[in-house]
Amino acid sequence: MTSLICGSMAYDTLMSFPDRFSESILADQLHNINVCFLVPEMRREFGGCAGNIAYNLKLLGGNPLIMATIGMDGGPYLERLAELNISRRHIRTIKNAYTAQAFITTDRNNNQITAFHPGAMALAHENHIENLAGENIRLAIVAPDGKEGMIQNANDCARLGIPFIFDPGQQLPTFSRNELRHFIELASYVAVNEYESEMLSQQSGWSTAEITSRVDAFIVTCAERGAVIHQGNEHLMIPGVKAEREADPTGCGDAFRAGLIYGLTHGMDMMTSGRLGSLMGAIKIGYAGPQNHKLTAAEIADRFEKEFGYRYQQ
């Protein structure tokens, strides 16, 4: 069963700040901020929402199909996908742009400051879901990408009858009230974190209950506390999974979404799908970088059974 992953592909430059941001920023000088964070550790990783979700979904045994744009420097990423046996056939190379770049600094409390250059991602609308005819897509996710591309992909999924998860992520502030309402009306699911949930309600003008009434489920992730899935009149409390270690939170939300997608495309109920997402987030945080955990599908299923007391159908 194929899952269409629409979103960004990026290179992540990850830096660690050994102290707390709050101790280096004067609260009464936010209007005149000029700070420098010394980051002794730095590394470059493969990232982007589409790349991260596809990577985790492949670990689970899923069949991700990425639709994204990559820049003239994207060769190493394409080679990596080939090594992972993840399809590249709907990834478009933009020859006069760089691949999207994220520069992420994480402090000792796992707070993050990110600078993001969209590059080729801004031309995501040059891809068209119509070109995927015959791919037998079971579910799609419209993850953070170029704004025009996200709007186009949501409209195309709805028109072609492909159920999809709307995951606005860091692009949420760029959408107007009417645009957000349009996304929600078209989507089968909405997935956000706690902060984004509040922002989505404020900017759309719809409460959690009003958003929930328009989709099959409204999923709100809560970091180490797990998630809340609003479905009809139910509020499913998805427990957090204790991480074996906490190395880097970058990509945990994408790992959660991969678990959710795998569950939904394999006929699991929302509780099991959410628990699988929670587990994937806990596994990912134990590794530096968003794509460096290398568990097998069987190992993930064993960990799930140990954590929740039952085994899901692979």
Side-chain angles (χ1 to χ4, degrees):
M1 289 171 282
T2 301
S3 302
L4 176 61
I5 315 298
C6 304
S8 63
M9 294 185 65
Y11 291 119
D12 292 342
T13 299
L14 305 177
M15 296 160 282
S16 296
F17 178 57
D19 296 315
R20 298 179 178 90
F21 293 139
S22 60
E23 295 173 354
S24 300
I25 299 174
L26 299 176
D28 63 345
Q29 292 295 312
L30 293 179
H31 65 288
N32 189 33
I33 193 167
N34 186 356
V35 297
C36 175
F37 300 110
L38 180 64
V39 288
E41 298 178 18
M42 186 184 81
R43 63 190 186 280
R44 195 166 189 244
E45 304 281 359
F46 297 103
C49 295
N52 296 342
I53 293 169
Y55 178 82
N56 284 278
L57 189 55
K58 191 69 176 182
L59 289 183
L60 283 160
N63 183 30
L65 181 64
I66 298 173
M67 191 177 80
T69 47
I70 204 164
M72 55 186 169
D73 55 343
Y77 211 149
L78 295 175
E79 291 173 8
R80 172 177 171 77
L81 293 176
E83 292 171 358
L84 295 169
N85 196 28
I86 295 175
S87 173
R88 302 167 294 164
R89 61 185 177 271
H90 294 293
I91 299 174
R92 179 186 292 267
T93 298
I94 307 298
K95 295 183 178 180
N96 60 348
Y98 288 105
T99 299
Q101 314 269 331
F103 301 87
I104 305 169
T105 303
T106 304
D107 76 359
R108 65 186 298 178
N109 287 351
N110 283 333
N111 297 308
Q112 293 184 314
I113 295 176
T114 300
F116 187 76
H117 169 66
M121 189 190 83
L123 298 174
H125 56 277
E126 292 192 6
N127 282 325
H128 298 279
I129 292 178
E130 284 93 342
N131 296 335
L132 278 64
E135 295 285 4
N136 191 27
I137 298 166
R138 178 77 175 270
L139 178 68
I141 183 167
V142 177
D145 206 348
K147 178 180 177 179
E148 188 176 345
M150 291 180 72
I151 293 171
Q152 175 179 284
N153 292 339
N155 286 332
D156 288 351
C157 280
R159 180 168 48 80
L160 296 170
I162 301 171
F164 73 93
I165 300 169
F166 173 48
D167 172 20
Q170 64 265 29
Q171 285 287 53
L172 200 160
T174 69
F175 295 113
S176 69
R177 169 171 292 198
N178 287 339
E179 287 169 338
L180 288 171
R181 289 186 171 192
H182 185 65
F183 275 119
I184 295 166
E185 294 279 13
L186 296 181
S188 299
Y189 308 92
V190 173
V192 292
N193 63 31
E194 284 183 290
Y195 180 82
E196 293 161 355
S197 174
E198 291 296 325
M199 181 179 289
L200 180 60
S201 287
Q202 288 183 18
Q203 293 195 197
S204 70
W206 284 342
S207 66
T208 294
E210 289 173 314
I211 294 171
T212 303
S213 70
R214 290 169 167 83
V215 293
D216 293 340
F218 180 29
I219 301 101
V220 181
T221 60
C222 307
E224 73 278 0
R225 292 180 288 107
V228 181
I229 298 180
H230 305 278
Q231 187 177 39
N233 294 322
E234 292 187 287
H235 307 285
L236 305 177
M237 307 305 295
I238 308 299
V241 175
K242 184 173 177 56
E244 294 179 350
R245 59 184 178 276
E246 295 187 10
D248 177 11
T250 307
C252 287
D254 296 327
F256 183 101
R257 282 148 181 76
L260 183 70
I261 291 168
Y262 185 87
L264 292 173
T265 55
H266 285 75
M268 300 179 197
D269 58 39
M270 286 303 305
M271 179 65 81
T272 300
S273 299
R275 286 173 170 174
L276 185 54
S278 185
L279 172 64
M280 292 302 294
I283 290 171
K284 203 264 50 111
I285 202 171
Y287 296 80
Q291 298 181 25
N292 289 323
H293 45 302
K294 295 180 172 64
L295 283 76
T296 66
E299 288 171 334
I300 295 170
D302 289 343
R303 176 89 184 269
F304 184 96
E305 184 174 17
K306 180 180 179 182
E307 188 71 33
F308 297 109
Y310 67 99
R311 198 169 187 88
Y312 60 83
Q313 183 67 43
Q314 290 181 261

